[in-house]
Short mmCIF file of all heavy atoms in Angstrom, two decimals:
data_model
loop_
_atom_site.label_atom_id
_atom_site.label_comp_id
_atom_site.label_asym_id
_atom_site.label_seq_id
_atom_site.Cartn_x
_atom_site.Cartn_y
_atom_site.Cartn_z
N LEU S 1 -122.55 -51.87 -226.32
CA LEU S 1 -121.23 -52.39 -226.02
C LEU S 1 -120.61 -51.71 -224.80
O LEU S 1 -119.88 -52.34 -224.03
CB LEU S 1 -120.29 -52.19 -227.22
CG LEU S 1 -120.61 -53.00 -228.50
CD1 LEU S 1 -119.47 -52.86 -229.49
CD2 LEU S 1 -120.90 -54.45 -228.20
N GLU S 2 -120.93 -50.45 -224.62
CA GLU S 2 -120.35 -49.69 -223.50
C GLU S 2 -120.98 -50.05 -222.16
O GLU S 2 -120.30 -50.17 -221.14
CB GLU S 2 -120.50 -48.19 -223.74
CG GLU S 2 -119.94 -47.34 -222.61
CD GLU S 2 -120.12 -45.84 -222.86
OE1 GLU S 2 -120.62 -45.46 -223.93
OE2 GLU S 2 -119.77 -45.06 -221.94
N HIS S 3 -122.30 -50.25 -222.14
CA HIS S 3 -123.00 -50.36 -220.86
C HIS S 3 -123.40 -51.80 -220.47
O HIS S 3 -123.65 -52.07 -219.30
CB HIS S 3 -124.24 -49.48 -220.87
CG HIS S 3 -123.91 -48.02 -220.90
ND1 HIS S 3 -123.51 -47.33 -219.76
CD2 HIS S 3 -123.89 -47.12 -221.91
CE1 HIS S 3 -123.28 -46.06 -220.09
NE2 HIS S 3 -123.50 -45.90 -221.38
N VAL S 4 -123.52 -52.69 -221.44
CA VAL S 4 -123.85 -54.09 -221.10
C VAL S 4 -122.55 -54.84 -220.90
O VAL S 4 -121.70 -54.87 -221.79
CB VAL S 4 -124.68 -54.77 -222.21
CG1 VAL S 4 -124.89 -56.25 -221.90
CG2 VAL S 4 -126.03 -54.06 -222.35
N PRO S 5 -122.33 -55.44 -219.73
CA PRO S 5 -121.08 -56.14 -219.48
C PRO S 5 -120.99 -57.45 -220.25
O PRO S 5 -122.02 -58.08 -220.57
CB PRO S 5 -121.12 -56.40 -217.98
CG PRO S 5 -122.57 -56.49 -217.66
CD PRO S 5 -123.25 -55.52 -218.58
N GLY S 6 -119.79 -57.85 -220.56
CA GLY S 6 -119.60 -59.21 -221.07
C GLY S 6 -119.90 -60.20 -219.98
O GLY S 6 -119.89 -59.87 -218.79
N PRO S 7 -120.18 -61.44 -220.33
CA PRO S 7 -120.52 -62.44 -219.31
C PRO S 7 -119.37 -62.74 -218.37
O PRO S 7 -118.22 -62.83 -218.81
CB PRO S 7 -120.90 -63.68 -220.13
CG PRO S 7 -120.24 -63.47 -221.46
CD PRO S 7 -120.21 -62.00 -221.70
N GLU S 8 -119.68 -62.84 -217.08
CA GLU S 8 -118.68 -63.24 -216.09
C GLU S 8 -118.58 -64.76 -216.10
O GLU S 8 -119.59 -65.45 -215.88
CB GLU S 8 -119.05 -62.72 -214.72
CG GLU S 8 -117.98 -62.89 -213.67
CD GLU S 8 -118.30 -62.18 -212.37
OE1 GLU S 8 -119.42 -61.64 -212.24
OE2 GLU S 8 -117.43 -62.17 -211.48
N VAL S 9 -117.39 -65.28 -216.33
CA VAL S 9 -117.27 -66.71 -216.58
C VAL S 9 -116.11 -67.31 -215.77
O VAL S 9 -115.22 -66.61 -215.32
CB VAL S 9 -117.03 -67.00 -218.09
CG1 VAL S 9 -118.19 -66.48 -218.92
CG2 VAL S 9 -115.71 -66.38 -218.56
N ASP S 10 -116.18 -68.61 -215.62
CA ASP S 10 -115.09 -69.38 -215.03
C ASP S 10 -114.80 -70.52 -216.00
O ASP S 10 -115.41 -71.58 -215.94
CB ASP S 10 -115.48 -69.90 -213.66
CG ASP S 10 -114.30 -70.52 -212.92
OD1 ASP S 10 -113.28 -70.79 -213.60
OD2 ASP S 10 -114.38 -70.71 -211.70
N VAL S 11 -113.89 -70.26 -216.92
CA VAL S 11 -113.59 -71.22 -217.99
C VAL S 11 -112.93 -72.47 -217.44
O VAL S 11 -113.12 -73.57 -217.99
CB VAL S 11 -112.69 -70.56 -219.05
CG1 VAL S 11 -112.32 -71.55 -220.13
CG2 VAL S 11 -113.40 -69.34 -219.67
N ASN S 12 -112.20 -72.37 -216.36
CA ASN S 12 -111.41 -73.50 -215.83
C ASN S 12 -112.20 -74.41 -214.91
O ASN S 12 -111.70 -75.46 -214.52
CB ASN S 12 -110.18 -72.97 -215.12
CG ASN S 12 -109.24 -72.22 -216.04
OD1 ASN S 12 -109.03 -72.62 -217.17
ND2 ASN S 12 -108.70 -71.10 -215.57
N SER S 13 -113.42 -74.03 -214.55
CA SER S 13 -114.24 -74.89 -213.70
C SER S 13 -114.90 -75.99 -214.54
O SER S 13 -114.97 -75.89 -215.75
CB SER S 13 -115.30 -74.06 -212.99
OG SER S 13 -114.73 -73.24 -212.01
N PRO S 14 -115.41 -77.03 -213.88
CA PRO S 14 -116.13 -78.07 -214.61
C PRO S 14 -117.38 -77.49 -215.29
O PRO S 14 -117.94 -76.48 -214.87
CB PRO S 14 -116.52 -79.07 -213.52
CG PRO S 14 -115.54 -78.85 -212.42
CD PRO S 14 -115.24 -77.38 -212.46
N LEU S 15 -117.82 -78.15 -216.34
CA LEU S 15 -118.94 -77.69 -217.14
C LEU S 15 -120.22 -77.55 -216.32
O LEU S 15 -120.57 -78.42 -215.53
CB LEU S 15 -119.19 -78.66 -218.30
CG LEU S 15 -120.48 -78.43 -219.09
CD1 LEU S 15 -120.39 -77.12 -219.89
CD2 LEU S 15 -120.76 -79.63 -219.99
N GLN S 16 -120.93 -76.44 -216.54
CA GLN S 16 -122.27 -76.24 -216.04
C GLN S 16 -123.06 -75.49 -217.11
O GLN S 16 -122.65 -74.41 -217.53
CB GLN S 16 -122.29 -75.43 -214.74
CG GLN S 16 -121.74 -76.17 -213.53
CD GLN S 16 -121.86 -75.29 -212.27
OE1 GLN S 16 -121.79 -74.09 -212.35
NE2 GLN S 16 -122.04 -75.94 -211.15
N MET S 17 -124.18 -76.03 -217.52
CA MET S 17 -125.03 -75.36 -218.51
C MET S 17 -126.50 -75.60 -218.14
O MET S 17 -126.93 -76.73 -218.01
CB MET S 17 -124.75 -75.89 -219.92
CG MET S 17 -125.72 -75.38 -220.98
SD MET S 17 -125.32 -76.01 -222.64
CE MET S 17 -126.90 -75.75 -223.48
N LEU S 18 -127.23 -74.51 -217.94
CA LEU S 18 -128.64 -74.59 -217.58
C LEU S 18 -129.49 -74.54 -218.87
O LEU S 18 -129.30 -73.66 -219.72
CB LEU S 18 -129.04 -73.44 -216.68
CG LEU S 18 -130.52 -73.35 -216.30
CD1 LEU S 18 -130.91 -74.53 -215.43
CD2 LEU S 18 -130.81 -72.02 -215.59
N VAL S 19 -130.38 -75.49 -219.01
CA VAL S 19 -131.24 -75.56 -220.20
C VAL S 19 -132.42 -74.60 -220.03
O VAL S 19 -133.23 -74.75 -219.12
CB VAL S 19 -131.74 -76.99 -220.44
CG1 VAL S 19 -132.66 -77.05 -221.66
CG2 VAL S 19 -130.57 -77.95 -220.62
N SER S 20 -132.49 -73.61 -220.90
CA SER S 20 -133.53 -72.58 -220.81
C SER S 20 -134.60 -72.72 -221.88
O SER S 20 -135.71 -72.22 -221.74
CB SER S 20 -132.91 -71.16 -220.94
OG SER S 20 -132.00 -70.93 -219.87
N GLN S 21 -134.25 -73.40 -222.99
CA GLN S 21 -135.21 -73.58 -224.07
C GLN S 21 -135.04 -74.97 -224.67
O GLN S 21 -133.95 -75.55 -224.59
CB GLN S 21 -135.01 -72.55 -225.19
CG GLN S 21 -135.24 -71.10 -224.79
CD GLN S 21 -134.73 -70.17 -225.85
OE1 GLN S 21 -133.58 -69.77 -225.85
NE2 GLN S 21 -135.58 -69.79 -226.79
N ILE S 22 -136.10 -75.49 -225.26
CA ILE S 22 -136.04 -76.75 -226.01
C ILE S 22 -136.56 -76.49 -227.42
O ILE S 22 -137.66 -75.95 -227.59
CB ILE S 22 -136.85 -77.86 -225.34
CG1 ILE S 22 -136.26 -78.24 -223.98
CG2 ILE S 22 -136.93 -79.07 -226.26
CD1 ILE S 22 -134.95 -78.98 -224.06
N ASP S 23 -135.75 -76.84 -228.40
CA ASP S 23 -136.20 -76.81 -229.79
C ASP S 23 -136.31 -78.26 -230.25
O ASP S 23 -135.91 -79.19 -229.55
CB ASP S 23 -135.20 -76.02 -230.63
CG ASP S 23 -135.81 -75.54 -231.94
OD1 ASP S 23 -136.96 -75.89 -232.23
OD2 ASP S 23 -135.11 -74.83 -232.70
N TYR S 24 -136.88 -78.45 -231.46
CA TYR S 24 -137.01 -79.82 -231.96
C TYR S 24 -136.75 -79.86 -233.45
O TYR S 24 -137.15 -78.94 -234.19
CB TYR S 24 -138.41 -80.38 -231.67
CG TYR S 24 -138.57 -81.82 -232.12
CD1 TYR S 24 -138.11 -82.88 -231.35
CD2 TYR S 24 -139.15 -82.10 -233.37
CE1 TYR S 24 -138.22 -84.19 -231.78
CE2 TYR S 24 -139.28 -83.42 -233.80
CZ TYR S 24 -138.80 -84.45 -232.99
OH TYR S 24 -138.91 -85.76 -233.42
N SER S 25 -136.04 -80.90 -233.88
CA SER S 25 -135.82 -81.14 -235.30
C SER S 25 -136.18 -82.57 -235.61
O SER S 25 -135.87 -83.49 -234.84
CB SER S 25 -134.32 -80.89 -235.63
OG SER S 25 -134.00 -81.48 -236.88
N GLU S 26 -136.86 -82.78 -236.72
CA GLU S 26 -137.22 -84.14 -237.09
C GLU S 26 -136.01 -84.97 -237.46
O GLU S 26 -136.06 -86.19 -237.54
CB GLU S 26 -138.22 -84.12 -238.27
CG GLU S 26 -137.68 -83.50 -239.52
CD GLU S 26 -138.73 -83.46 -240.61
OE1 GLU S 26 -139.85 -82.98 -240.36
OE2 GLU S 26 -138.41 -83.92 -241.74
N TYR S 27 -134.87 -84.30 -237.67
CA TYR S 27 -133.64 -85.01 -238.04
C TYR S 27 -132.82 -85.40 -236.83
O TYR S 27 -132.24 -86.49 -236.77
CB TYR S 27 -132.81 -84.14 -238.98
CG TYR S 27 -133.53 -83.76 -240.25
CD1 TYR S 27 -134.04 -82.50 -240.44
CD2 TYR S 27 -133.73 -84.72 -241.26
CE1 TYR S 27 -134.71 -82.16 -241.60
CE2 TYR S 27 -134.41 -84.39 -242.43
CZ TYR S 27 -134.90 -83.09 -242.59
OH TYR S 27 -135.57 -82.78 -243.74
N VAL S 28 -132.71 -84.51 -235.83
CA VAL S 28 -131.84 -84.79 -234.69
C VAL S 28 -132.59 -84.87 -233.37
O VAL S 28 -132.00 -85.11 -232.32
CB VAL S 28 -130.72 -83.71 -234.57
CG1 VAL S 28 -129.83 -83.74 -235.80
CG2 VAL S 28 -131.31 -82.32 -234.35
N GLY S 29 -133.92 -84.66 -233.38
CA GLY S 29 -134.68 -84.76 -232.15
C GLY S 29 -134.63 -83.47 -231.32
O GLY S 29 -134.58 -82.37 -231.86
N ARG S 30 -134.62 -83.66 -230.02
CA ARG S 30 -134.68 -82.51 -229.11
C ARG S 30 -133.34 -81.76 -229.10
O ARG S 30 -132.28 -82.38 -229.12
CB ARG S 30 -135.04 -82.96 -227.69
CG ARG S 30 -136.44 -83.54 -227.61
CD ARG S 30 -136.69 -84.20 -226.28
NE ARG S 30 -136.93 -83.25 -225.21
CZ ARG S 30 -138.10 -82.65 -224.98
NH1 ARG S 30 -139.13 -82.88 -225.76
NH2 ARG S 30 -138.25 -81.82 -223.97
N ILE S 31 -133.45 -80.44 -229.06
CA ILE S 31 -132.26 -79.59 -229.05
C ILE S 31 -132.34 -78.71 -227.78
O ILE S 31 -133.28 -77.92 -227.61
CB ILE S 31 -132.21 -78.67 -230.29
CG1 ILE S 31 -132.26 -79.53 -231.57
CG2 ILE S 31 -130.95 -77.81 -230.27
CD1 ILE S 31 -132.44 -78.69 -232.85
N ALA S 32 -131.37 -78.90 -226.91
CA ALA S 32 -131.35 -78.14 -225.65
C ALA S 32 -130.56 -76.85 -225.86
O ALA S 32 -129.43 -76.86 -226.36
CB ALA S 32 -130.69 -78.98 -224.55
N ILE S 33 -131.15 -75.74 -225.45
CA ILE S 33 -130.53 -74.43 -225.64
C ILE S 33 -130.34 -73.76 -224.28
O ILE S 33 -131.25 -73.78 -223.43
CB ILE S 33 -131.41 -73.52 -226.53
CG1 ILE S 33 -131.59 -74.17 -227.90
CG2 ILE S 33 -130.79 -72.12 -226.67
CD1 ILE S 33 -132.61 -73.47 -228.77
N GLY S 34 -129.18 -73.22 -224.05
CA GLY S 34 -128.94 -72.56 -222.78
C GLY S 34 -127.58 -71.87 -222.78
O GLY S 34 -126.79 -71.99 -223.72
N ARG S 35 -127.34 -71.15 -221.71
CA ARG S 35 -126.06 -70.46 -221.56
C ARG S 35 -125.12 -71.32 -220.74
O ARG S 35 -125.49 -71.88 -219.72
CB ARG S 35 -126.29 -69.11 -220.87
CG ARG S 35 -125.02 -68.39 -220.49
CD ARG S 35 -125.33 -66.99 -220.06
NE ARG S 35 -124.27 -66.41 -219.26
CZ ARG S 35 -124.24 -65.17 -218.86
NH1 ARG S 35 -125.23 -64.36 -219.17
NH2 ARG S 35 -123.25 -64.70 -218.13
#
């Protein structure tokens, strides 16, 4: 908690999310995971 910074963010800007992983569920299909 002391040495790792919290994420630097811009909450008021338009949405941007990079997909880093793909999971899959037989119920909902592909699941995109990212920050």
Side-chain angles (χ1 to χ4, degrees):
L1 294 189
E2 179 181 356
H3 292 282
V4 174
E8 189 172 6
V9 300
D10 189 345
V11 178
N12 297 320
S13 289
L15 171 68
Q16 290 182 329
M17 173 178 160
L18 177 67
V19 178
S20 298
Q21 296 168 272
I22 294 289
D23 199 355
Y24 183 81
S25 163
E26 61 183 51
Y27 301 105
V28 298
R30 295 170 76 81
I31 304 170
I33 300 170
R35 172 169 159 174

